[in-house]
Amino acid sequence: MLMEKDEVEPDSITLATVLPPCGELSAFSVGKRIHEIIKRKNMCPNLLLENALMDMYASCGCLKDAREIFDLMSARDVISWTSIISAYGKHGHGREAVDLFEKMLGQGLEPDSIAFVAVLAACSHAGLLADGKHYFDSMTSRYHIIPKAEHYTCMVDLLGRAGCINEAYDFITTMLIEPNERVWGALLQACRIHSNMDIGLVAADNLFSLVPEQTGYYVLLSNMYARAGRWADVTSVRSVMVNKGIKKFPGTSIVELGDQVHTFHIGDRCHPQSEMIYHKLDELLGKIRGMGYNPEVEATLHDVEEEDKEDHLSVHSEKLAIAFLLLNTSPGTIIRVTMNLRTCSDCHLAAKLISIITCREIVLKDTNRIHHIVQGVCSCGDYW
């Protein structure tokens, strides 16, 4: 923007440098403006720019636009293919990601280490267990690529999500490198999902040795105990957090409206439109309750009353952000929300039902993946 003010013309390298942060921050409007500049200046075909554009659109939840860029490219390198494979994987379209990987191989391109991370992650997000195992074996035996921590993490995540907890643990014990926090974190997450307390505690012990101050893993362990109804253990974990001065990061959601970015926190009442937002949210929650929605309160703050648990869930940041955008955008506008944490199952369910009653597409981008919801159906296939 300062360059525009000073009437300095950006070149392709400048624009390709600015596009990735637009994707990371979900600054969709800025990314679109850059694309308009590129089109106006006839800067394509340009492999560097096209790859950056594709990645920006995918990171902002615009898979269709990313695919359009990819399809219009006159030349594609391994980076191009990896970007589109990763895009489909993050959106939960694992089968399409695998098909694209096979097409890349059919073009005679040799996948590199990063391309294998993309296809393994896509398999993990979609539960394609056999495909993931095949590609990991192929990477090492056919392409002689030495697995890195990222590849091992994908495999542990793949096995764990599929419920193969013991196999995931055995896989970790045979790793050629020392497992890092992401590997153990993937195992702990899987143990939480599938309520495997024994291996979950092993994963937690390793995590607390590696990263003793990392908030997220204490919260994961606490949630695992809560799901099992072991409230004394939940209290114990939270006491450890208090004694160590470890605080849970508050859930934060950001949205774009025009050229402004709006930030919401759980229970936030600081926004100028706060009263209208809460009124809109009450209206939405009332309507989806009529569709059978019941707040998922099992693992929420065991030491408060049931009614308070529901109130706590109802003011999660992503719900407030969705209500705000519904108030301030015209019918048919896609709702885009970016979060600093993994979205909870209750907000995911609420967003699906809200998409039905409002006839809006809702894109929730959390730290793990992108949920593209259309008429009550999420691209993740509820496998997350």
Side-chain angles (χ1 to χ4, degrees), residues 82 85-86 94 97-98 101 114-124 132 135 154:
T82 300
I85 290 163
S86 178
V98 165
F101 189 83
I114 300 169
F116 274 106
V117 171
V119 74
L120 289 172
C123 291
S124 172
Y135 286 123
C154 287

Side-chain angles (χ1 to χ4, degrees), residues 91-366:
H91 282 78
H93 302 299
R95 180 52 59 195
E96 290 87 343
V98 165
D99 290 343
L100 283 162
F101 189 83
E102 290 298 325
K103 282 183 182 175
M104 178 183 73
L105 298 182
Q107 298 277 323
L109 289 169
E110 186 162 309
D112 59 11
S113 176
I114 300 169
F116 274 106
V117 171
V119 74
L120 289 172
C123 291
S124 172
H125 286 317
L128 302 176
L129 187 58
D131 294 278
K133 288 181 175 181
H134 162 72
Y135 286 123
F136 187 84
D137 290 342
S138 172
M139 178 184 76
T140 55
S141 61
R142 180 177 175 184
Y143 294 97
H144 307 294
I145 294 172
I146 299 171
K148 297 180 181 175
E150 295 87 348
H151 303 105
Y152 285 120
T153 301
C154 287
M155 285 304 295
V156 172
D157 195 49
L158 172 69
L159 292 163
R161 284 178 190 273
C164 306
I165 305 294
N166 289 318
E167 189 177 348
Y169 177 69
D170 290 342
F171 180 82
I172 291 174
T173 63
T174 62
M175 284 173 54
L176 300 176
I177 60 174
E178 197 68 28
N180 65 7
E181 64 163 293
R182 293 182 69 85
V183 172
W184 288 115
L187 184 63
L188 180 59
Q189 178 70 269
C191 290
R192 184 196 68 83
I193 294 168
H194 296 287
S195 302
N196 189 314
M197 198 65 64
D198 293 338
I199 293 180
L201 290 174
V202 173
D205 283 343
N206 280 279
L207 282 164
F208 298 149
S209 296
L210 288 167
V211 280
E213 308 299 320
Q214 179 63 265
T215 307
Y217 299 128
Y218 288 93
V219 174
L220 258 182
L221 180 60
S222 174
N223 288 347
M224 186 170 70
Y225 281 136
R227 277 186 88 153
R230 291 172 57 168
W231 302 117
D233 290 314
V234 173
T235 301
S236 176
V237 172
R238 291 180 180 174
S239 295
V240 170
M241 291 176 70
V242 170
N243 292 336
K244 289 191 171 187
I246 299 169
K247 293 183 179 179
K248 181 179 176 182
F249 290 121
T252 303
S253 294
I254 61 169
V255 297
E256 273 192 316
L257 185 66
D259 58 355
Q260 297 290 314
V261 173
H262 297 257
T263 303
F264 297 90
H265 305 282
I266 186 169
D268 195 349
R269 289 190 178 270
C270 299
H271 196 278
Q273 293 185 18
S274 186
E275 191 175 327
M276 292 169 63
I277 291 168
Y278 276 85
H279 184 269
K280 181 67 175 177
L281 187 53
D282 286 342
E283 175 194 314
L284 292 167
L285 292 175
K287 286 181 178 178
I288 65 175
R289 279 194 181 95
M291 300 168 68
Y293 166 74
N294 284 308
E296 299 184 3
V297 298
E298 318 82 59
T300 303
L301 297 174
H302 72 285
D303 51 351
V304 299
E305 297 298 326
E306 288 300 307
E307 189 177 331
D308 292 333
K309 289 181 182 181
E310 291 194 21
D311 289 342
H312 179 80
L313 285 168
S314 70
V315 293
H316 276 191
S317 64
E318 51 265 59
K319 289 190 181 84
L320 297 173
I322 289 170
F324 168 74
L325 286 178
L326 286 169
L327 282 169
N328 291 280
T329 56
S330 56
T333 304
I334 297 176
I335 303 294
R336 303 180 191 278
V337 181
T338 300
M339 293 157 286
N340 70 327
L341 301 173
R342 183 179 184 269
T343 191
C344 74
S345 55
D346 182 78
C347 287
H348 187 258
L349 174 59
K352 291 198 297 179
L353 295 173
I354 290 169
S355 77
I356 296 173
I357 62 173
T358 60
C359 295
R360 297 284 196 107
E361 290 183 38
I362 298 177
V363 177
L364 301 177
K365 179 185 177 183
D366 67 17

